Amino acid sequence: MSTRQPVPHAQPAQASVRIFATNERLNQLLIEHLDPTAWTAKPPGNVRTIAAIFTHMHNVRTKWIRLTAPHLKVPAQLNRAQCTPQQARKALAGSAARCEEMLAEALQTLQSGEGDRKPRITHFVRDGWAKPWPVGPEMLCYMLAHEAHHRGQIAMLAHQLGYPLSKVVTSDMWNWEKLWKQK
């Protein structure tokens, strides 16, 4: 028998913003607790550094915004060879805020139907080569899957390089009840 109390459900647009904000807290938590030496440590083989993976995550967000919601201010891209953890944290926070705006507007339009007004966001464009998708929950799912994939790479790479995340941090990464409440 479950002891969980029922939680009132948010509207899809509000819920998507909240979920993406929690996703961003995971990124911030990871950067905050990574050993600074791991940031630019060169992995063996033809593998990106942790710095390059985080800059890729931010730069892909800027592409999503530019292609899907060009009316929003597109954040500047990062240079993976010169980016510091502090620069990545600031840039990721900024691009997350724009992605949250994009999700709110896109899914609010879907939810409300917008009447006679033509919505500004009608499709999610992942990349120039990809077929655009109609706006919907798939947009959020794709964005989350992309970032979760790279967080997994980062955690594994840090471990392989000899800078594993603490058990407290890895447990906190799964504690959505706690992350959900943080601002």
Side-chain angles (χ1 to χ4, degrees), residues 1-180:
M1 177 171 221
S2 175
T3 58
R4 295 182 81 185
Q5 296 297 315
V7 177
H9 293 285
Q11 294 294 328
Q14 295 167 319
S16 295
V17 168
R18 189 173 169 198
I19 291 165
F20 199 80
T22 303
N23 169 75
E24 177 54 23
R25 284 194 285 285
L26 286 165
N27 294 333
Q28 296 292 330
L29 178 76
L30 195 50
I31 295 173
E32 181 182 337
H33 292 283
L34 270 173
D35 185 307
T37 312
W39 186 255
T40 54
K42 181 68 180 126
N46 189 18
V47 177
R48 293 184 218 188
T49 63
I50 289 172
I53 296 171
F54 273 116
T55 58
H56 165 76
M57 291 167 66
H58 167 75
N59 291 344
V60 165
R61 287 177 178 180
T62 68
K63 185 187 313 183
W64 295 336
I65 296 161
R66 179 176 50 83
L67 296 173
T68 302
H71 60 281
L72 295 177
K73 181 172 175 26
V74 179
Q77 291 204 340
L78 293 172
N79 180 326
R80 68 182 184 180
Q82 298 172 343
C83 184
T84 67
Q86 296 77 17
Q87 290 169 328
R89 287 186 74 182
K90 184 177 178 184
L92 284 163
S95 62
R98 292 301 79 70
C99 284
E100 290 165 24
E101 286 179 50
M102 178 176 70
L103 286 163
E105 184 177 337
L107 296 175
Q108 184 63 41
T109 298
L110 179 71
Q111 183 178 308
S112 69
E114 287 293 321
D116 293 334
R117 202 174 91 199
K118 185 175 177 4
R120 291 190 288 183
I121 301 175
T122 58
H123 289 83
F124 174 53
V125 185
R126 303 179 323 250
D127 206 327
W129 54 261
K131 181 179 177 185
W133 294 347
V135 167
E138 300 84 358
M139 177 179 180
L140 174 64
C141 291
Y142 181 87
M143 293 166 75
L144 295 174
H146 179 263
E147 300 215 349
H149 162 72
H150 288 303
R151 278 194 301 271
Q153 284 183 318
I154 290 162
M156 181 181 68
L157 191 52
H159 183 82
Q160 290 173 338
L161 291 167
Y163 307 102
L165 295 163
S166 72
K167 290 184 187 212
V168 170
V169 172
T170 56
S171 292
D172 283 351
M173 289 174 71
W174 287 101
N175 190 346
W176 276 63
E177 291 81 3
K178 179 180 172 184
L179 292 166
W180 207 239

